[in-house]
Amino acid sequence: RGRRDYRLEELAQELSAVGLLKPVGAEAWAFVHDNVRAYCCAQAIRAREDREQLLDEIAATLGRHSRYRWWRATWLLLAGLLDDPAALLRILLREAALSEGEAVFLAVRCLRESLAQTPGSTPEPRLHNYLVSALLQRLDSQREPRTAFRVRAVESLATLQASSALPALVALAGEPVRGVDGKRAYEESNVRLAAMQALREIEAPPFRALAALNAPLAEVLVLWEAEDVVALGERLSMASAPEGVQSLVAFALGKIGSAPAEERLVEVFLSPSSSALTRRNVSTALTLLEPGFVTTRVILPLLDPAAATEQQLAAEIWESRAVYAANLIYLIGRLRVQHPVARVFLRDRLTGEASLQQKGLALQSVGWLYDHAVKTVVEAVAWGDFTALNLSTPVVEHEQQYLRRKALGALYYLGDAETLARLQARSLDWGQTLEQAGYWAGEGIRARLQSEAGRGR
């Protein structure tokens, strides 16, 4: 505009006209897109003389999930803008607690960004080892009870190409590693799948180092690498196959994702001769496939007579469809299936006649689906009122904890400002497990509300 200056209001209107800003109320403006906000914020921080002090202050708050979500994009953009992106990593190591929260994952991504600035460079060994050590601690479910964070820890180890983590990843993928009621059990399926993928990324075929640690696991990886669907399919159906091997075979078929692999997974899932354990393993693998395919071939034929006829579902399977209920609840939620028949089934499991386990799974899945129609029910359960669930028998203490924890997890997605206020005013007698679940539900709601406010919604 030559020598003329923009008035602030005029500038805001111009930026609004091109879709960058949006009015919020009468006197405020917000960025329409989070990425634009993050980029502008990164450039503003880069230009400040007190940049390091400001970044110190930000890093000290990243232990809160809502603050992490607000600042992570800005932090990563800065890693690409600064002449010394490693400085961001040093600040994180100085100010943030890597043994908790999400700062360690941001540190790994900053390190990757830093190395990308200088092709062929390698991380400083002490720094690399420090991050690997912090991540290995997060693999322990006793130290890190959140499954999603354990998955991210595994993925970060793969990003770091941490060969020193191979024994831990092998144990995670293929061996019972944690105690449940005094017994050893396998890790959650999502964590084991992430570990399998990490092993493939860190160790090259033919996986000799892995074979020395766990030969059956290495064999599965070799077949996966070769995409040998026939051999993997045979192992999947073997009644004598150990649980650990069978689940890894199912994961491999799901990751291969070819038409023959898909058909084999569907066949084994629907087979009346498959054990409950086999069907559970295959369910996880099905979440790796295209949601529309799984909805058409697996979910709807077990819920809708017309779909069953269309897919030529065997009468024997239709008549015994009740045994598939828990698997269907899980699949509908994980795949975010929005079909009306699936939603009705899920709500019926939640408030109708169903086992306590199915009701817990339904609470989890309505959260994944963002099904606000049942928010009132979910909130009631989170605060210990189980009336709407229509349970057939009274629930004992550990069952109450299970249902409330699932409900709080769902409120991470369904909660609003009123829910957040209730969580902040909650009593102090919830116990450690529920207290932690309530904290993360509140942080998720807070982060979502902040993001919506930032976009002027």
Side-chain angles (χ1 to χ4, degrees), residues 221-262:
L221 287 174
V222 169
L223 294 175
W224 180 359
E225 193 70 25
E227 297 192 359
D228 192 338
V229 173
V230 174
L232 288 168
E234 291 173 351
R235 282 168 169 75
L236 185 61
S237 300
M238 289 173 56
S240 60
E243 177 188 356
V245 173
Q246 187 183 65
S247 58
L248 299 180
V249 168
F251 297 161
L253 287 169
K255 293 296 286 186
I256 290 171
S258 63
E262 291 177 340

Side-chain angles (χ1 to χ4, degrees), residues 78-197:
L78 271 170
L81 292 172
L82 296 178
D83 295 331
D84 179 20
L88 289 171
L89 187 55
R90 292 193 295 271
I91 291 171
L92 276 178
L93 296 179
R94 184 170 67 235
E95 297 293 336
L98 301 191
S99 60
E100 56 190 36
E102 298 165 274
V104 67
F105 309 128
L106 187 58
V108 171
R109 295 182 67 181
C110 284
L111 177 60
R112 181 176 62 183
E113 194 70 35
S114 173
L115 296 176
Q117 302 295 316
T118 310
S121 60
T122 58
E124 197 274 319
R126 286 187 301 175
L127 172 59
H128 179 269
N129 293 339
Y130 182 77
L131 290 175
V132 169
S133 177
L135 291 166
L136 287 173
Q137 291 183 39
R138 304 295 288 275
L139 299 184
D140 183 349
S141 62
Q142 303 304 314
R143 293 185 178 182
E144 180 49 81
R146 293 159 292 189
T147 302
F149 279 26
R150 297 200 300 278
V151 169
R152 290 169 67 182
V154 170
E155 293 170 343
S156 295
L157 287 168
T159 298
L160 292 174
Q161 289 291 290
S163 57
S164 61
L166 288 179
L169 293 173
V170 166
L172 209 60
E175 302 168 11
V177 294
R178 62 192 179 107
V180 178
D181 296 332
K183 301 177 181 178
R184 291 180 66 79
Y186 288 96
E187 247 290 7
E188 297 289 345
S189 55
N190 291 344
V191 181
R192 299 181 66 212
L193 175 58
M196 284 282 285
Q197 185 65 49

Side-chain angles (χ1 to χ4, degrees), residues 123 154 294 327 430:
V154 170
V294 180
N327 305 108
W430 277 20

Side-chain angles (χ1 to χ4, degrees), residues 218-412:
E219 290 174 9
V220 174
L221 287 174
V222 169
L223 294 175
W224 180 359
E225 193 70 25
E227 297 192 359
D228 192 338
V229 173
V230 174
L232 288 168
E234 291 173 351
R235 282 168 169 75
L236 185 61
S237 300
M238 289 173 56
S240 60
E243 177 188 356
V245 173
Q246 187 183 65
S247 58
L248 299 180
V249 168
F251 297 161
L253 287 169
K255 293 296 286 186
I256 290 171
S258 63
E262 291 177 340
E263 292 299 329
R264 187 61 179 145
L265 288 171
V266 170
E267 177 187 357
V268 173
F269 180 86
L270 294 175
S271 173
S273 63
S274 292
S275 67
L277 181 58
T278 297
R279 197 169 288 122
R280 188 184 71 189
N281 289 332
V282 175
S283 294
T284 301
L286 289 173
T287 65
L288 303 174
L289 306 184
E290 199 276 317
F293 172 82
V294 180
T295 302
T296 301
R297 294 296 307 282
V298 173
I299 296 173
L300 291 182
L302 290 169
L303 299 178
D304 179 44
T309 300
E310 183 180 337
Q311 292 297 321
Q312 300 180 337
L313 191 73
E316 179 187 5
I317 298 174
W318 175 256
E319 291 168 1
S320 62
R321 63 190 182 278
V323 302
Y324 299 87
N327 305 108
L328 293 178
I329 294 169
Y330 170 75
L331 286 171
I332 290 168
R334 284 286 290 169
L335 294 172
R336 269 80 173 179
V337 177
Q338 300 293 340
H339 195 283
V341 171
R343 278 184 173 268
V344 168
F345 169 75
L346 208 56
R347 292 171 185 172
D348 180 66
R349 296 294 94 183
L350 182 61
T351 60
E353 185 177 347
S355 69
L356 185 136
Q357 180 215 18
Q358 289 181 23
K359 290 184 179 295
L361 291 172
L363 285 165
Q364 177 177 266
S365 286
V366 295
W368 285 339
L369 281 181
Y370 293 91
D371 189 353
H372 289 274
V374 294
K375 173 179 171 287
T376 302
V377 173
V378 175
E379 279 196 327
V381 175
W383 266 267
D385 180 357
F386 308 106
T387 307
L389 298 185
N390 292 306
L391 295 162
S392 58
T393 59
V395 287
V396 297
E397 178 64 26
H398 75 272
E399 293 173 334
Q400 293 182 23
Q401 292 267 324
Y402 167 73
L403 292 171
R404 293 183 66 187
R405 182 165 47 82
K406 291 294 187 182
L408 287 165
L411 288 178
Y412 180 99

Side-chain angles (χ1 to χ4, degrees), residues 32-53:
V32 174
H33 302 289
D34 288 343
N35 287 341
V36 174
R37 171 187 57 77
Y39 177 76
C40 292
C41 188
Q43 288 286 17
I45 292 174
R46 179 192 181 198
R48 289 182 59 144
E49 293 184 0
D50 63 343
R51 179 176 64 211
E52 185 166 340
Q53 179 183 344

